[in-house]
């Protein structure tokens, strides 16, 4: 029933509003005065709280300044056995004339014009003078703190000393020391270039390697390893003429480098210049000879039909590598050419027994054995 009554009341109110609007009657809106008053009171309270915080907080921070704390702590030390000086009377200092003022740095002249110093700034200094030897360490630390925080102190000598010294230290700390560039020696530079050239050769960057090696040879023309690598790099690029020129230049500078002679001999054998090889690998270098030396010398001598020299070379090879059949075959060929058929026959058999010969070598050895049997 109450719901129905509410609905009827609402309908009546709507009808009365419509009638009033039709008759030209305006109805004033109704405002909630309590809600408005509550909001106003809240705003006023917030403003009062902000104002109180703004007024009272700075005063509380000033009362607890670090200077006052230091003076209280120093005055309450049990080790201080001397009576405190009164802090009510300000301490007067002599006035400073123009001559003394001119001797003070310009940065501190504006700080030394007043004749008296506030009591708060000199409390620690006055108490320090009255302390015995026991409290000197603590008093000195407190005095330095006060001098830093009180820029209006009149004692020109103390102020100037205390201010100038820290600035000098600060200047010394802030000075930038230029580190001298490390000067590399020519030997170190050549070693770095050589390492870079070797790495470039490993990755197939032959042009870069050639450039680095040429720089090394410009600085040190007698650098053996650099010249060997340069000639070998040219050889890999099929630039035989450049490799030959590099090695010939090296031999012209130092004829005793056997490595350059061996590399040049390999090129000359490819060109069929056997007599030149035998001149490069002459008997005077046999004391330094290695495997390549004997191979090149024996090959050139046998190709030039100088079989006696070839026998000497291949005998050394059979001693160095006795299991290699090709050296026994080469030795048998030179014996056969000199007419020593019995020795040649035995050497052909040794080469065939060891094996490892290619088809052409095997056929040559068999043919010569058949021919020697008939001849013998």
């Amino acid at each position: 029933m109450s719901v129905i009554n509410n609905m009827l009341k609402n309908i009546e109110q709507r009808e009365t509003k419509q009638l009033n609007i039709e008759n030209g009657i305006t109805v004033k809106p109704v405002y909630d005065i309590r809600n408005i008053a509550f909001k106003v009171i809240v705003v006023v309270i917030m403003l009062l709280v902000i104002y109180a915080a703004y007024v009272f907080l700075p005063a509380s921070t000033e009362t607890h300044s670090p200077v006052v704390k230091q003076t209280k702590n120093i005055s309450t030390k049990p080790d201080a056995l001397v009576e405190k000086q009164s802090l009510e009377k300000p301490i007067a200092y002599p006035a400073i004339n123009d001559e003394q003022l001119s001797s003070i740095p310009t940065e501190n002249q504006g700080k030394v014009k007043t004749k008296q110093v506030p009591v708060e700034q000199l409390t620690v200094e006055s108490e320090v003078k009255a302390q015995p030897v026991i409290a000197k360490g603590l008093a000195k630390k407190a005095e330095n703190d006060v001098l830093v925080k009180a820029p209006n102190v009149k004692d020109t000598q103390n102020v100037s000393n205390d201010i100038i010294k820290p600035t000098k230290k600060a200047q010394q700390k802030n000075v930038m020391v230029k580190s001298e560039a490390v000067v590399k020696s020519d030997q170190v530079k050549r070693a770095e270039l050589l390492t870079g050239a070797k790495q470039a050769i490993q990755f197939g960057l032959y042009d870069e390697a050639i450039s680095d090696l040429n720089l090394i040879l410009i600085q040190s023309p007698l650098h053996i390893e650099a010249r060997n690598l340069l000639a070998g790099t040219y050889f890999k690029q099929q630039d035989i003429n450049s490799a030959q020129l590099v090695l010939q230049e090296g031999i012209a500078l130092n004829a005793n480098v056997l490595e350059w002679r061996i590399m040049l001999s390999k090129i000359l054998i490819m060109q069929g210049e056997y007599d030149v090889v035998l001149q490069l690998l002459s008997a005077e270098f046999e004391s330094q000879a290695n495997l390549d030396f004997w191979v090149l010398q024996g090959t050139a001598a046998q190709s030039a039909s100088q079989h006696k020299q070839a026998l000497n070379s291949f005998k050394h090879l059979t001693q160095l590598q006795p299991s290699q059949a090709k050296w026994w075959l080469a030795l048998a060929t030179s014996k056969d050419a000199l007419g020593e058929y019995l020795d040649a026959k035995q050497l052909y058999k040794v080469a065939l027994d060891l094996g490892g010969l290619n088809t052409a070598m095997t056929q040559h050895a068999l043919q010569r054995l058949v021919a020697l049997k008939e001849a013998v």
Side-chain angles (χ1 to χ4, degrees):
M1 291 297 292
S2 60
V3 174
I4 295 172
N5 291 330
N6 290 330
M7 291 175 62
L8 293 174
K9 287 180 181 180
N10 291 331
I11 293 169
E12 291 177 357
Q13 290 177 358
R14 290 176 183 175
E15 290 178 355
T16 53
K17 286 181 180 179
Q18 290 178 358
L19 291 173
N20 291 333
I21 292 168
E22 291 175 357
N23 296 329
I25 299 171
T26 57
V27 180
K28 295 181 179 180
V30 179
Y31 296 97
D32 190 358
I33 298 173
R34 292 181 180 178
N35 190 14
I36 294 171
F38 177 75
K39 292 179 179 180
V40 171
I41 291 169
V42 169
V43 172
V44 171
I45 291 171
M46 290 176 65
L47 292 174
L48 290 174
V49 171
I50 294 170
Y51 178 76
Y54 180 78
V55 171
F56 294 106
L57 283 178
S60 62
T61 56
E62 289 179 0
T63 55
H64 297 286
S65 62
V67 177
V68 176
K69 285 183 178 180
Q70 290 177 358
T71 55
K72 289 180 180 180
N73 291 333
I74 294 170
S75 61
T76 55
K77 287 288 180 181
D79 295 335
L81 302 177
V82 183
E83 295 181 356
K84 300 178 185 178
Q85 294 180 355
S86 61
L87 303 178
E88 296 178 357
K89 296 181 180 181
I91 300 171
Y93 283 85
I96 299 172
N97 53 22
D98 296 334
E99 294 179 357
Q100 294 177 346
L101 185 61
S102 61
S103 63
I104 300 173
T106 55
E107 298 177 356
N108 300 326
Q109 286 181 4
K111 302 177 182 179
V112 194
K113 290 183 179 180
T114 57
K115 292 183 178 180
Q116 293 184 353
V117 182
V119 176
E120 294 178 355
Q121 296 174 358
L122 297 175
T123 52
V124 176
E125 186 177 358
S126 60
E127 288 184 6
V128 166
K129 293 179 180 179
Q131 297 294 335
V133 179
I134 300 171
K136 278 186 178 180
L138 181 62
K140 188 173 182 180
K141 182 179 178 182
E143 181 180 0
N144 292 332
D145 294 337
V146 172
L147 287 174
V148 173
K149 295 178 182 178
N152 294 325
V153 178
K154 276 192 171 184
D155 192 350
T156 57
Q157 295 179 353
N158 294 333
V159 172
S160 61
N161 292 332
D162 292 336
I163 293 174
I164 292 170
K165 287 180 181 178
T167 55
K168 287 182 180 179
K169 292 180 180 178
Q171 289 176 0
Q172 291 175 358
K173 289 181 181 179
N174 294 330
V175 170
M176 295 179 65
V177 179
K178 293 183 179 179
S179 59
E180 296 181 357
V182 178
V183 179
K184 295 181 180 179
S185 62
D186 294 338
Q187 186 176 0
V188 173
K189 291 179 182 178
R190 288 194 294 269
E192 290 178 353
L193 288 172
L194 185 63
T195 303
K198 290 179 179 178
Q199 292 177 353
I201 291 170
Q202 289 179 356
F203 291 102
L205 305 174
Y206 298 121
D207 292 335
E208 294 182 5
I210 289 171
S211 177
D212 292 340
L213 293 170
N214 279 320
L215 288 174
I216 295 172
L217 292 179
I218 290 171
Q219 297 175 4
S220 178
L222 297 176
H223 200 292
I224 298 173
E225 188 176 4
R227 193 171 291 276
N228 290 342
L229 286 173
L230 183 58
T233 306
Y234 280 131
F235 192 82
K236 288 179 180 178
Q237 288 189 317
Q238 303 298 321
D239 191 354
I240 307 300
N241 293 328
S242 297
Q244 186 173 349
L245 288 174
V246 169
L247 293 170
Q248 287 175 349
E249 288 175 359
I251 294 170
L253 293 171
N254 187 0
N256 296 321
V257 180
L258 184 60
E259 294 181 23
W260 297 342
R261 289 175 174 269
I262 290 173
M263 291 188 71
L264 183 59
S265 297
K266 292 178 181 179
I267 296 173
L268 293 174
I269 283 178
M270 293 173 59
Q271 297 173 355
E273 298 182 6
Y274 305 114
D275 294 332
V276 180
V277 172
L278 293 175
Q279 292 176 2
L280 288 171
L281 304 178
S282 58
E284 60 181 329
F285 293 100
E286 290 183 359
S287 61
Q288 308 175 32
N290 54 13
L291 183 66
D292 291 336
F293 179 90
W294 295 119
V295 171
L296 293 169
Q297 189 191 62
T299 303
Q302 197 172 66
S303 301
S305 298
Q306 297 184 18
H307 295 288
K308 289 183 178 180
Q309 189 173 359
L311 286 174
N312 181 43
S313 300
F314 291 124
K315 283 179 181 179
H316 283 92
L317 288 171
T318 55
Q319 292 174 0
L320 291 172
Q321 293 180 339
S323 61
Q324 292 291 329
K326 57 185 178 181
W327 307 136
W328 296 98
L329 179 62
L331 188 62
T333 302
S334 293
K335 286 281 188 180
D336 193 1
L338 291 172
E340 299 177 6
Y341 301 120
L342 292 175
D343 293 337
K345 185 178 178 181
Q346 295 296 326
L347 292 170
Y348 281 129
K349 290 181 179 179
V350 171
L352 291 172
D353 291 339
L354 288 172
L357 298 173
N358 58 29
T359 305
M361 290 179 177
T362 304
Q363 289 179 357
H364 172 72
L366 291 173
Q367 289 174 0
R368 291 309 301 166
L369 280 175
V370 172
L372 290 173
K373 283 181 181 179
E374 294 176 358
V376 174

